[in-house]
Amino acid sequence: MYNFDFERPKSVADAVKALQTEEAQPLGGGQTLIPTLKQRLAMPSKLVSLAGIDEIKGVCKDDQNRLCIGGGTVHRVIAEKAMSEGFPGLTGLASKIGDPAVRNRGTIGGSLANNDPSACYPAAAMATGATIVTDRREIAADDYFKGLFETALEEGEIITEVKMPIPEASAYMKFEQPASRFPLVGVFVARFSDRVGVGVTGASESGVFRWTEAERALGSDFSADAVKGLSVPADGMISDLHGTAEYRAHLVGVMTRRAVAAAQ
Amino acid sequence: MASVTMNVNGKPVTGEIEGRTLLVEFLRNGLSLTGTHVGCDTSQCGACLVHVDGEAVKACTMFAAEAEGAEVTTIEGVSNPDGSLNTIQQAFQDYHGLQCGFCTPGMVMSAAALLKDNPSPSEQEIREYLQGNICRCTGYHNIVKAIMAASGQDVSRIAAE
Ligand SMILES: Cc1cc2nc3c(=O)[nH]c(=O)nc-3n(C[C@H](O)[C@H](O)[C@H](O)COP(=O)(O)OP(=O)(O)OC[C@H]3O[C@@H](n4cnc5c(N)ncnc54)[C@H](O)[C@@H]3O)c2cc1C
Ligand code: FES
Ligand code: FES
């Protein structure tokens, strides 16, 4: 690992200031960034740790029935709080990321900023129509994810909060890649009074996406049978040693049906 | 170089670190607490597991600077005050929960974190909790058994393998 300076500000304002240095980078829980630094795939001049900023930690519900999750909140806390706030589908997602030690450090802000094509939260953000709040603006999930590891975030922009509309029913199903336990394909299904959202991660070469055809079918009949005849084309799906594009396309259908069944 | 101060196993310690110094490097090289092992260095195996402010953390995937002001507990800090093995450690010995012993400090720290939140876990819950702790020797059965025994549960019905 190359060396770098280390700062631990106590407020978002101080963190934004610290990030103005050339090649400075925020550090969330480090569960992705530290392995990346060890491989010398990143070479920041300075890391600005967000772990000391209390104002971006914690989970609450706002008056529009959205779960407001601080960008620096760790997976373990999200799993606990989503349950008590009536969003068990998100608990199911957060409580299966990595292992307990990873969940004690890794944050939702880090996961969304990284936008790994196999990360779990992006599927929930897309399915629920979440809003990503940063130190300078609010971004709709549909406009936020820009492909593999690419997002709408600017240099030095910090995710301070994620606002997720709480669905009436929801579930996340991931087909785990057994070595990394990241999803080979993961599907988040969210049913609201007026619409259904289906977010798919791990599958597409252009990153997380909404399966709109399934959303329409589920909107009129929220049952596993309603999506039985539907499939996504293998064209544009990821193909690697863990699974072919055809296999992933098939899994999208299977995981969607399982998620709908689990959300009943 | 910068200086960092934390409490390790109840004692205040101060040391010089670089930005990139990992917590596990500080513990092993800076404080000579070599009970915390490095198996993979890629946050997969859990041999480096310690407690930071009471939570299980992989010390190979946290910077020493992030532990400024924290309470850190390592395997060296968990025995009984008279130096004898604590309940979990003793159960690992009694139920042959180790062979080479490389994974054991992480297993014991992980087990302690589990039992703190869930004093009477089922076999399934123990196995799930240990997802981030890899053992190349035992095949896990006796580790699970040791943890069940340490939590005061009957292990006679768990097959000895
Ligand atoms: C063994 C293991 C298994 C895992 N399994 C899964 C899994 O199944 N599913 C899954 O989704 N993830 C998984 N992860 C990844 C985990 O969820 C990470 O915690 C997460 O991807 C990154 O969050 P972090 O807080 O650790 O971010 P970091 O590693 O600190 O940072 C990641 C990136 O985000 C940036 N960043 C961090 N916080 C912010 C912020 N608030 N605003 C703007 N930018 C920020 C950093 O600069 C960096 O570029 C796994 C990780 C490990 C080690
Ligand atoms: S050495 Fe830290 S997880 Fe393997
Ligand atoms: S006892 Fe050898 S690795 Fe677990």
Side-chain angles (χ1 to χ4, degrees), chain B residues 24-61:
Chain B
V24 74
E25 292 170 338
F26 180 68
L27 294 171
R28 289 178 57 86
N29 307 341
L31 305 178
S32 300
L33 293 172
T34 53
T36 302
H37 292 167
V38 180
C40 63
D41 203 25
T42 57
S43 46
Q44 311 289 321
C45 77
C48 64
L49 200 133
V50 300
H51 297 183
V52 176
D53 291 329
E55 305 289 353
V57 163
K58 289 174 175 175
C60 75
T61 312

Side-chain angles (χ1 to χ4, degrees), chain B residues 88-98 104 107 143 146-147:
Chain B
I88 298 171
Q89 292 173 306
Q90 189 58 53
F92 269 70
Q93 188 181 67
D94 293 345
Y95 291 90
H96 307 289
L98 65 151
T104 314
M107 288 289 180
I143 292 176
I147 297 171

Side-chain angles (χ1 to χ4, degrees), chain B residues 109-146:
Chain B
M109 297 310 287
S110 215
L114 167 65
L115 297 184
K116 177 171 70 77
D117 293 337
N118 184 354
S120 192
S122 67
E123 181 178 344
Q124 182 61 26
E125 285 171 335
I126 295 173
R127 288 183 186 276
E128 270 172 22
Y129 197 88
L130 294 182
Q131 272 200 322
N133 289 84
I134 293 175
C135 174
R136 301 301 299 267
C137 302
T138 63
Y140 302 98
H141 287 300
N142 286 346
I143 292 176
V144 174
K145 206 168 175 177

Side-chain angles (χ1 to χ4, degrees), chain A residues 1-4 6 8 27-28 30-31 34-35 37-38 47 76 98-101 104-105 181, chain B residues 18-20 22 41-44 49 55-58 60-63 65-66 68 129 131-132:
Chain A
M1 201 182 324
Y2 299 110
N3 202 19
F4 44 78
F6 194 92
R8 212 161 175 249
L27 173 71
Q31 300 305 295
I34 295 177
L37 292 169
K38 286 180 180 175
L47 284 191
R76 173 182 49 84
D99 56 60
N104 280 337
R105 298 287 307 163
R181 281 181 259 110
Chain B
E18 292 186 308
R20 64 180 161 184
L22 297 166
D41 203 25
T42 57
S43 46
Q44 311 289 321
L49 200 133
E55 305 289 353
V57 163
K58 289 174 175 175
C60 75
T61 312
M62 173 167 180
F63 293 115
E66 293 180 273
E68 171 71 40
Y129 197 88
Q131 272 200 322

